[in-house]
């Protein structure tokens, strides 16, 4: 979780595939870590304001807000 958080802090627009490659873990591991970070207030995913939809698959847009 710490490594995922640090990677997102360095690049809030990092893609899941980049996290997988950089950290050497499976997508499911990334998803669990991001889920925990969201639930505990460390990250907030942004919505696409133009279409009012979630960001495109594979793209993580986040703002860092420590609890």
């Amino acid at each position: 979780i710490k490594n995922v958080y640090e990677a997102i802090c360095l690049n809030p627009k990092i893609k899941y595939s980049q996290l997988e490659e950089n950290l050497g873990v499976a997508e499911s591991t990334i998803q669990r870590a991001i889920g925990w970070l969201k639930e505990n207030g460390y990250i907030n995913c942004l919505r696409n304001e133009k279409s009012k939809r979630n960001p495109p698959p594979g793209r993580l847009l986040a703002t860092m807000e420590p609890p």
Side-chain angles (χ1 to χ4, degrees), residues 1 3 13 21 24 29 32 36 38 46 48 53 59 62-63:
I1 294 174
N3 292 339
K13 295 182 181 181
E21 186 178 318
T29 302
R32 276 193 304 275
W36 187 93
K38 285 181 192 177
L46 302 174
N48 183 335
R53 297 180 312 160
R59 172 137 335 252
T63 57

Side-chain angles (χ1 to χ4, degrees), residues 8-65:
I8 294 170
C9 284
L10 292 173
N11 180 4
K13 295 182 181 181
I14 194 167
K15 294 181 180 183
Y16 279 82
S17 59
Q18 292 171 309
L19 287 168
E20 290 177 59
E21 186 178 318
N22 294 346
L23 301 176
V25 296
E27 182 177 349
S28 59
T29 302
I30 300 295
Q31 290 174 343
R32 276 193 304 275
I34 289 172
W36 187 93
L37 290 166
K38 285 181 192 177
E39 288 176 19
N40 290 281
Y42 284 90
I43 63 173
N44 291 314
C45 288
L46 302 174
R47 293 187 174 270
N48 183 335
E49 292 301 321
K50 291 181 182 178
S51 65
K52 302 293 183 196
R53 297 180 312 160
N54 287 327
R59 172 137 335 252
L60 176 68
L61 302 175
T63 57
M64 308 319 297
E65 293 184 7

